[in-house]
Amino acid sequence: MPSPALDNEPQHTTQPPSHPAPGPSKTAPGAWIALLVLLGAELMDLLDQSVVLTALPAIQESTGAGPAAVQWLTTGYSLPVAVGLVTGGRLGDLHGRRRMLLVGTVVFTAASLLCGLATGPGVLVGARMLQGVAVALMIPQVLATLHVTFEGQDRSKAFGLYGAVLSLSNVLGPVMGGLLTEADLFGLSWRPIFLVNVPVGLAVLFLGRRFVPESTVKKADRLDLTGMLLSALAVVLIVFPLSEGHLHHWPLWCFAMLAAGLLALGVFLRHQQRKQNNAPLVPLTLFRGRQFSGGTAAQLMHGLLCGLFFMTWTLYLQRGLGMSPFHAALAFVLLSLGELAGATLAAKSGGRFARRLPQAGALVAAAAMAAYGLQAAEGQAGLTLPAMTAPVVLIGFGLGMVGGPLADLSLARVPHENAGAASGLFNTAIHLGIALGTALTALVFFATTGGSPDAGLHRDAFITVLWWAGSLLTLMWALMFFLPKHTKHQAG
């Protein structure tokens, strides 16, 4: 295994603030191999977020994991990711984005091997948490490296492919988890869902060391350790109660933690203000650009939508319509195929339509949500999978048009030396949004169902969720007016 700390290639310092170059860009062939490596790292993370879901019964049976341990197989992964993204992004800015990508990949690969060899729930949960720490190092480097490596139409295409990978992973994760567990390869049951990361991780290490260009700031300052601790404390105090509160019926300690989290956030922002001229963890000047601020706010709404919609949709399909898990999975496949088509359109557009493309996607998804809500209200218990195909595919198509262009346009004018911090903040927005969306389900969905198995209550609650989701998409559309109407490589 190559060591990421050893670097035989010259480092490239950052260039002036990124602006897409006029006309088509000439990108070196090696950059496209680097893109595949970066997308491979992104795919490992996205798959491991969802691949475990379909394997949970088998994991619980073979390890004797109780309900709390099962919950922590997902929370133990997502919480370190949310806590560490901003710090991971800043470490890439200061000490090299390729280096941090490879360090994170080494840790992630080792943690995946440990997951696959675990015999008890304690070791498995610990290894999942280690995976989350590794992802916090890896993932900010993906968007940051795309940002500093590609320009013009090539960068828009690269971000479009990034959006396609996001869409593809939505269906690959649960399907791959189910297939690998069912196949019981070599009598290993669920373990291959983690062990498959080992050869992929080794490939990312080998190819990444050779093809991914190194980038860092011209002068690496010391990491703002106080800022790092304050930001981690704030995120834990906010995300943990939002993730766990609905499971415990919102006890007082949840609200106390949220209040403490907001206080810690205020202290963190004050500390960053004082550090602006002395290597802060988060350069607050990023938020002076309406493009980054508006795009990050839209990304937060995107996460809120995902956290609210996907969990409640699964419950609606199985409890409200009585579908089997297999048919419910087919519904997710339909939505993901629509997402993939929308993301492919975004990649082929090469950024020509600037904000108009993701805005159109938000409106298409909102209109499809409204149509789906009307259909669900009229069809009631008799709604079938073929009947809902059109609105479900259109919801996916609209969402697929949003992901890649939103990331591209939000980061377009971020200075190269702050690319990692900006990427960490942008990724944190969607994780925080998902936590908020999950918490919102308690008010919008579970308050109506009240834990009852009654199918009618689940259908009524989901129709309410669809109107909330449509409102969030409309708000996303409005926030995207902060993004540029034209790009510099766009004619006219």
Side-chain angles (χ1 to χ4, degrees):
M1 183 183 300
S3 170
L6 298 176
D7 187 357
N8 297 325
E9 299 177 30
Q11 293 188 355
H12 303 286
T13 54
T14 56
Q15 304 300 316
S18 171
H19 300 280
S25 302
K26 293 182 179 180
T27 302
W32 296 106
I33 300 177
L35 173 64
L36 293 177
V37 175
L38 294 168
L39 295 183
E42 184 76 32
L43 188 61
M44 280 199 302
D45 162 44
L46 295 169
L47 288 179
D48 266 59
Q49 288 183 35
S50 58
V51 73
V52 72
L53 297 177
T54 46
L56 284 177
I59 293 174
Q60 192 168 18
E61 182 180 347
S62 69
T63 64
V70 169
Q71 172 69 25
W72 272 93
L73 287 177
T74 53
T75 303
Y77 182 91
S78 59
L79 190 59
V81 174
V83 168
L85 281 170
V86 174
T87 298
R90 199 56 177 160
L91 283 170
D93 288 338
L94 299 179
H95 301 298
R97 298 176 185 114
R98 180 181 65 178
R99 177 174 295 177
M100 290 300 107
L101 174 74
L102 297 182
V103 168
T105 303
V106 168
V107 177
F108 186 86
T109 304
S112 297
L113 179 61
L114 187 58
C115 285
L117 298 177
T119 56
V123 174
L124 186 55
V125 169
R128 287 286 284 173
M129 295 184 74
L130 189 59
Q131 279 187 317
V133 172
V135 166
L137 285 176
M138 288 166 52
I139 296 310
Q141 320 314 329
V142 174
L143 285 179
T145 304
L146 291 181
H147 175 62
V148 301
T149 302
F150 293 89
E151 293 184 350
Q153 291 182 8
D154 284 345
R155 193 179 71 178
S156 296
K157 291 176 181 177
F159 274 94
L161 291 170
Y162 166 83
V165 166
L166 294 181
S167 303
L168 187 61
S169 65
N170 287 335
V171 63
L172 273 182
V175 171
M176 192 174 79
L179 289 176
L180 288 175
T181 303
E182 187 72 22
D184 193 20
L185 298 172
F186 308 108
L188 293 173
S189 183
W190 51 270
R191 300 179 188 280
I193 70 172
F194 297 114
L195 295 177
V196 72
N197 289 326
V198 175
V200 177
L202 292 174
V204 169
L205 282 170
F206 176 77
L207 295 174
R209 190 168 184 270
R210 181 168 183 177
F211 292 104
V212 174
E214 182 61 285
S215 60
T216 184
V217 296
K218 292 181 179 179
K219 181 182 178 181
D221 296 292
R222 294 180 62 186
L223 181 67
D224 177 11
L225 292 177
T226 302
M228 182 186 75
L229 293 174
L230 286 172
S231 70
L233 179 63
V235 172
V236 168
L237 290 173
I238 292 172
V239 172
F240 183 81
L242 289 176
S243 301
E244 298 288 310
H246 67 285
L247 298 174
H248 303 282
H249 308 291
W250 295 104
L252 182 60
W253 62 260
C254 284
F255 297 100
M257 284 187 75
L258 284 170
L262 293 174
L263 178 62
L265 181 61
V267 174
F268 167 73
L269 291 174
R270 181 61 178 163
H271 173 73
Q272 294 304 285
Q273 272 186 327
R274 293 174 175 171
K275 291 274 294 183
Q276 282 309 291
N277 296 321
N278 187 23
L281 182 69
V282 175
L284 297 181
T285 52
L286 287 171
F287 293 100
R288 293 178 187 170
R290 62 198 299 264
Q291 194 165 325
F292 179 76
S293 299
T296 302
Q299 180 77 333
L300 179 68
M301 294 301 106
H302 193 185
L304 192 57
L305 170 70
C306 292
L308 176 63
F309 176 73
F310 287 107
M311 177 191 293
T312 56
W313 191 37
T314 302
L315 295 173
Y316 163 71
L317 292 172
Q318 296 187 51
R319 296 181 184 174
L321 298 180
M323 288 186 181
S324 67
F326 174 76
H327 285 94
L330 287 180
F332 273 87
V333 170
L334 288 174
L335 186 136
S336 295
L337 289 174
E339 275 195 275
L340 192 57
T344 302
L345 174 65
K348 289 185 175 180
S349 73
R352 290 192 301 274
F353 304 105
R355 75 180 184 213
R356 288 170 290 180
L357 185 69
Q359 281 189 310
L363 292 180
V364 167
M369 289 275 188
Y372 194 23
L374 293 173
Q375 187 185 49
E378 293 176 2
Q380 292 297 320
L383 187 58
T384 63
L385 187 59
M388 68 175 71
T389 295
V392 166
V393 170
L394 283 173
I395 290 170
F397 184 74
L399 293 176
M401 294 166 64
V402 171
L406 179 59
D408 179 20
L409 296 169
S410 300
L411 301 176
R413 294 180 182 171
V414 170
H416 282 188
E417 61 267 22
N418 292 331
S423 174
L425 287 166
F426 189 77
N427 280 296
T428 300
I430 195 166
H431 282 82
L432 182 58
I434 290 172
L436 289 168
T438 303
L440 191 58
T441 59
L443 300 174
V444 179
F445 188 85
F446 293 117
T448 301
T449 62
S452 169
D454 182 76
L457 288 177
H458 281 82
R459 292 193 296 270
D460 292 342
F462 181 67
I463 291 169
T464 303
V465 166
L466 285 173
W467 296 115
W468 276 80
S471 300
L472 288 171
L473 285 162
T474 305
L475 183 55
M476 279 177 62
W477 169 80
L479 286 168
M480 285 189 278
F481 275 105
F482 289 105
L483 302 177
K485 187 176 182 181
H486 301 284
T487 53
K488 290 191 176 183
H489 58 270
Q490 177 182 343

